[in-house]
Amino acid sequence: MKKIKSALVSVFYKDGLEEIVRKLDELGITIYSTGGTYSFIEGLGIKPISVESLTGYPSILGGRVKTLHPQVMGGILNRRDNEGDKKEIEEYGIPEIDLVIVDLYPFEKTVSSDAKEEDIIEKIDIGGISLIRACAKNFKDVVIVPSVDNYTEFLAILNEKQGITDLSIRRRFATYAFEVSSHYDTAIFNYFNKETQLPVFKKSYSIAKTLRYGENPHQKGVFFGDLDACFEQFNGKEISYNNIGDIDAACSLIDDFEETTFAIIKHNNACGLASRENLKDAYIDALSADPLSAFGGVLVCNRAIDKEAAEEMNSLFMEICIAPDYSKEALDILKSKKNRILLKRKQTNNETIQFRTALNGIMVQDKDSVVEKADAMESVTSTPLTKEQKQDLSFANKIVKHTKSNAIVLVKNNQLIASGTGQTSRVDALNQAIEKAKHFGFDLNGSVMASDAFFPFPDCVEIAHKAGIKAVIHPGGSINDNKSIDYCQENNMAMTLTGYRHFKH
């Protein structure tokens, strides 16, 4: 057990500080401070001791050097049970410091504000980070409060224990401190490494949400990130681990479409998608692709949901609906099911890399941001592509890019009519798509086909031709490309090659 007798308080954000300072003063704890924090405390009618009077040096170099001095660092780092340390602090007149309350300059916030580099560099904290690390290292004797996020917990401890802390408390706050310092350093490193590009991977998330469970009930699950920054939730139960995967897939898919579009997602794959002039019609046609799989799915669109669309949607059992906005009438209708999760998007996913654990490490890759434009498409056979076919091929290729490999997507008139997903052979994926399209009553004549990878043999284009498919899009790159091209040439099919494979595993 240690009683706090002296404290150093030097913070950037003053919110929530007043109650702590007043409690420290009430407990008779000596307060050291500097700069704006000194003025803040003085304004409360409490007289702190300035760090400058302690060190004998003013704040210098434009405030870059204030607390980096043996009188401060020695007061924090001295080991109370070490006779050598005791002698040295007595010899040099260094007062013990039992508590430090400090935060760091807002580096990440400054970077995100598109500030000039000179302003960003000035927000790299030196003194604060040194104080945090020093206190955390000497947690056996010193308490560190490293962030405004810890104020409430620390104030409760002050009130309950009247300035006394035990080792478990000090160790817990030291853990907070190293989390703050490591996150801060990671942000700085990643800023510099955008240009330097060292082969080093560092990510840090300070916001975490414990989920009900992971992919299955026997697995623990946590989401690291800020869901509240992405969505406003209007209705429904807590978002689950599997929900987050589907939500991410839904948002990534819909963001590739500019026209009014509705999609239905099941297990990360689109089971329905259509673009129409109004949202209600887009929903109806998206649902018709596979109303069976749509049960319990995730609905996503890129326009505000109005009353007419909501009335049409409401009869479907859906887990989640995601939209940029909702009319009041639409919300009232969709809220009729209490467990239905309704999300309004606040921001798009701006991550440019993807990563996941594998073996004893992590695999990292660039996000697949390629979207093939209809205007750039040309047929490699003598059968030209019509304007409508180009639009359908572009539409289909956007979907196949977001579909689990091996993947085949069939499209007609800006509507997904079937897909074959996650198959071990491309032929199986195509046969699955054709069978599904026929099962739900679609006429494949005049439809188009997209493949996420090249055709190693002409079997797929032959099957497609016999089913009535008239145009094909795929990346090309097989040593047997000419065999598929020749078959299309002989059977009056159009084919375009993109040069971009879209595997998704």
Side-chain angles (χ1 to χ4, degrees):
M1 304 292 286
K2 298 280 183 178
K3 183 172 180 60
I4 299 170
K5 299 176 183 177
S6 61
L8 171 60
V9 185
S10 180
V11 297
F12 187 85
Y13 294 110
K14 313 299 188 293
D15 297 342
L17 185 63
E18 180 178 346
E19 284 187 87
I20 293 176
V21 171
R22 290 196 183 281
K23 186 64 182 180
L24 295 177
D25 184 56
E26 177 190 315
L27 293 172
I29 295 169
T30 300
I31 301 174
Y32 298 95
S33 191
T34 185
T37 310
Y38 179 92
S39 300
F40 173 82
I41 296 171
E42 201 173 36
L44 300 176
I46 298 167
K47 186 64 177 176
I49 298 171
S50 71
V51 170
E52 291 81 2
S53 66
L54 176 64
T55 64
Y57 279 88
S59 172
I60 61 173
L61 306 181
R64 283 188 165 199
V65 179
K66 290 181 283 191
T67 55
L68 294 175
H69 192 281
Q71 289 283 66
V72 175
M73 303 307 284
I76 294 168
L77 284 165
N78 77 90
R79 293 157 290 188
R80 280 39 168 188
D81 59 357
N82 184 291
E83 291 302 320
D85 287 5
K86 286 182 181 179
K87 288 180 180 178
E88 286 192 64
I89 65 166
E90 287 175 10
E91 179 182 352
Y92 295 108
I94 298 173
E96 291 182 345
I97 297 175
D98 307 310
L99 163 69
V100 174
I101 302 174
V102 66
D103 61 8
L104 301 173
Y105 291 156
F107 178 81
E108 288 179 283
K109 186 176 180 180
T110 306
V111 171
S112 64
S113 70
D114 295 325
K116 295 177 182 178
E117 179 154 280
E118 60 190 76
D119 296 324
I120 291 172
I121 299 304
E122 284 306 310
K123 288 298 184 287
I124 297 176
D125 205 305
I126 303 300
I129 203 81
S130 300
L131 291 171
I132 286 173
R133 291 180 64 85
C135 294
K137 178 176 181 175
N138 202 26
F139 71 91
K140 285 180 67 177
D141 297 306
V142 181
V143 187
I144 173 64
V145 181
S147 167
V148 65
D149 296 335
N150 307 126
Y151 284 4
T152 300
E153 181 182 353
F154 181 68
L155 180 61
I157 291 168
L158 273 183
N159 286 326
E160 179 185 349
K161 300 185 179 294
Q162 296 297 298
I164 295 173
T165 64
D166 60 36
L167 186 62
S168 66
I169 290 172
R170 296 192 297 276
R171 188 182 186 96
R172 184 167 73 252
F173 276 79
T175 305
Y176 298 156
F178 285 122
E179 189 281 319
V180 167
S181 65
S182 63
H183 179 83
Y184 197 75
D185 284 341
T186 296
I188 295 169
F189 167 79
N190 284 331
Y191 171 77
F192 278 89
N193 205 41
K194 282 182 179 179
E195 182 176 327
T196 312
Q197 296 190 338
L198 297 177
V200 176
F201 178 75
K202 293 182 184 292
K203 291 289 281 186
S204 177
Y205 295 93
S206 291
I207 300 174
K209 178 179 176 61
T210 300
L211 306 172
R212 297 197 301 275
Y213 48 80
E215 201 161 7
N216 299 292
H218 63 276
Q219 295 170 274
K220 292 180 180 179
V222 179
F223 176 74
F224 292 95
D226 189 359
L227 283 174
D228 291 336
C230 298
F231 305 101
E232 181 178 356
Q233 183 170 347
F234 292 121
N235 193 64
K237 56 189 178 181
E238 281 192 18
I239 294 172
S240 72
Y241 183 99
N242 291 332
N243 289 156
I244 291 171
D246 281 334
I247 291 168
D248 180 67
C251 292
S252 295
L253 171 62
I254 204 70
D255 284 347
D256 277 349
F257 291 85
E258 297 176 1
E259 56 274 27
T260 301
T261 303
F262 219 116
I264 303 172
I265 308 297
K266 197 70 174 288
H267 295 298
N268 294 184
N269 294 307
C271 60
L273 194 149
S275 295
R276 294 292 182 260
E277 289 190 5
N278 66 74
L279 202 60
K280 176 183 174 182
D281 289 345
Y283 167 73
I284 291 171
D285 288 346
L287 179 65
S288 68
D290 188 350
L292 188 64
S293 295
F295 183 86
V298 173
L299 276 60
V300 63
C301 60
N302 58 3
R303 299 289 188 273
I305 295 179
D306 54 25
K307 177 185 176 184
E308 291 72 24
E311 287 175 336
E312 195 67 40
M313 297 159 56
N314 196 43
S315 60
L316 177 70
F317 171 68
M318 66 185 90
E319 280 270 340
I320 302 168
C321 181
I322 309 164
D325 209 348
Y326 302 79
S327 71
K328 182 183 182 302
E329 295 84 357
L331 268 182
D332 290 342
I333 293 165
L334 295 173
K335 281 181 176 179
S336 62
K337 305 293 191 294
K338 68 177 183 178
N339 287 330
R340 180 183 287 161
I341 298 170
L342 302 177
L343 301 176
K344 175 183 174 181
R345 294 185 72 178
K346 293 182 181 179
Q347 65 181 34
T348 56
N349 182 0
N350 55 7
E351 286 283 356
T352 58
I353 63 167
Q354 296 172 319
F355 56 93
R356 64 181 180 185
T357 58
L359 301 176
N360 62 348
I362 291 174
M363 298 193 300
V364 183
Q365 67 173 357
D366 294 334
K367 186 176 180 180
D368 185 357
S369 58
V370 172
V371 177
E372 292 82 1
K373 299 294 184 182
D375 294 344
M377 293 177 186
E378 297 294 339
S379 180
V380 295
T381 72
S382 60
T383 301
L385 289 165
T386 66
K387 179 181 179 182
E388 291 75 18
Q389 285 176 330
K390 287 183 178 183
Q391 290 174 344
D392 276 351
L393 288 170
S394 175
F395 185 94
N397 218 45
K398 290 175 184 177
I399 301 171
V400 85
K401 165 186 162 184
H402 295 278
T403 304
K404 296 287 186 180
S405 301
N406 287 313
I408 293 287
V409 165
L410 306 181
V411 163
K412 190 175 181 179
N413 299 327
N414 288 330
Q415 178 186 9
L416 170 64
I417 55 177
S419 61
T421 64
Q423 299 301 304
T424 51
S425 86
R426 201 156 300 283
V427 171
D428 286 346
L430 175 55
N431 284 328
Q432 181 190 59
I434 291 171
E435 182 181 348
K436 182 171 279 192
K438 290 179 177 178
H439 176 76
F440 289 111
F442 286 100
D443 180 7
L444 286 170
N445 282 308
S447 63
V448 305
M449 173 175 74
S451 173
D452 62 337
F454 62 62
F455 301 113
F457 305 103
D459 45 8
C460 280
V461 292
E462 182 178 352
I463 294 168
H465 171 248
K466 290 177 179 178
I469 293 164
K470 299 300 182 185
V472 179
I473 184 170
H474 70 112
S478 168
I479 59 173
N480 289 326
D481 273 353
N482 284 337
K483 292 182 179 180
S484 294
I485 293 171
D486 289 345
Y487 182 90
C488 291
Q489 173 69 32
E490 293 165 6
N491 291 278
N492 301 316
M493 294 175 71
M495 175 184 282
T496 186
L497 308 182
T498 67
Y500 289 97
R501 190 179 72 184
H502 291 298
F503 271 166
K504 185 182 179 187
H505 294 109

